[in-house]
Structure formats: C-alpha cells, structure tokens
Amino acid sequence: PALVILLQLVLSAIRHVQRPSSKLVALQLLHDFSNYVDDEARLQRIVPTAVSLIDDTDTLVRAVAIRVLASVVSNIRTFPPSDALLFPQYIFPRVDALVNDPDVLVRVAFAESIGKLAQSARWFLDVNEGMKLHETIKGGGSKR
C-alpha cells in the first residue's frame, strides 16, 4: 500500500513537470516501482503514463518511455478480460508512429523494444483465447 501511494505521487508529478530530466527520473521510478506493484497498478497506472510519454516533445523521453512500456507489459501476469485487447486497441496504435520518428534514437529504442512488445501481445492474446475457451467449456459447450 505504501508503494502505491508513492507510485501515485510520481504519476501525479509527471503530469505537471516540464523538464525532460524530471520526466526521465519519473520514468525510471515507474520502471523500478513496476517490479514491486501488482498487475492492476501496472495496467491502470504505469502503462497509460508510459504510453502518454511516447508522444513527448523530447527525444530521450520518447525513447525511454517505449523501453519502460515494453519492460512493464512484459512483467504483467494477470489481467481482467476488459484489458484483453490492450495491445491492438491501445498500445500498437500509439507506438506505430515511432517507426517513422524523426530521431534515430527513438527508432532504435522502438526496434529494441518491439520484440518484447510482440511477445507480450502474443501472451495477452493466448491468455484471452484460453479464458474464452474456459468460459465456453464451463458454460456447457454452448457459445454465449
């Protein structure tokens, strides 16, 4: 619980800071906190913040944000059915622009992260299909 309060403090601060160096420190804290908070906090708090920083005006912030995002989503082990389409509906449309980012540093960070993102997306898809199959079987084999 105490770490969630600290996480919320960092999330609140990151929305109001202007300096790229402050955003980079906040991203590093989010990455570090992600190792100790639950999946719900990762999905509902850290992922949206990292995704929003992918559009930052600073090159280094964009590069670090994609790396943090890839690392955080690769550590998620449970998710509600409502987050099953996280990648195709939320993450991939936002990171798509990084392929053509004007700065090579961002394109390199994206290239280094795309494998982790793809693996995580595949895992989300597999788990979602497994949950659907389980519900079908549990429901007596009839589709709902």
Side-chain angles (χ1 to χ4, degrees):
L3 190 56
V4 173
I5 294 170
L6 289 174
L7 174 63
Q8 195 58 43
L9 180 68
V10 172
L11 292 170
S12 178
I14 203 169
R15 285 184 230 128
H16 302 290
V17 296
Q18 299 297 320
R19 298 180 67 171
S21 60
S22 299
K23 292 177 185 179
L24 292 170
V25 169
L27 278 166
Q28 184 60 51
L29 286 170
L30 293 180
H31 180 263
D32 293 346
F33 287 170
S34 75
N35 294 317
Y36 302 103
V37 296
D38 62 14
D39 287 336
E40 181 182 0
R42 287 184 192 111
L43 280 166
Q44 302 302 320
R45 297 176 183 188
I46 297 174
V47 167
T49 301
V51 168
S52 72
L53 289 172
I54 287 171
D55 295 329
D56 197 82
T57 56
D58 186 77
T59 299
L60 195 52
V61 170
R62 290 194 311 274
V64 172
I66 189 63
R67 287 186 175 115
V68 167
L69 176 64
S71 177
V72 169
V73 296
S74 71
N75 288 328
I76 294 171
R77 292 292 156 243
T78 60
F79 60 90
S82 61
D83 285 335
L85 299 175
L86 177 73
F87 283 88
Q89 290 183 350
Y90 184 64
I91 292 178
F92 287 151
R94 296 293 295 271
V95 301
D96 186 45
L98 298 180
V99 173
N100 298 315
D101 194 277
D103 198 292
V104 70
L105 182 67
V106 176
R107 292 192 309 268
V108 168
F110 177 71
E112 291 173 352
S113 302
I114 194 66
K116 234 182 220 187
L117 289 170
Q119 270 186 316
S120 299
R122 173 67 190 265
W123 182 82
F124 267 67
L125 178 66
D126 289 346
V127 169
N128 185 46
E129 290 301 313
M131 287 190 295
K132 285 181 185 176
L133 181 60
H134 176 73
E135 285 301 314
T136 301
I137 293 169
K138 189 171 118 181
S142 63
K143 295 209 174 202
R144 294 182 186 188

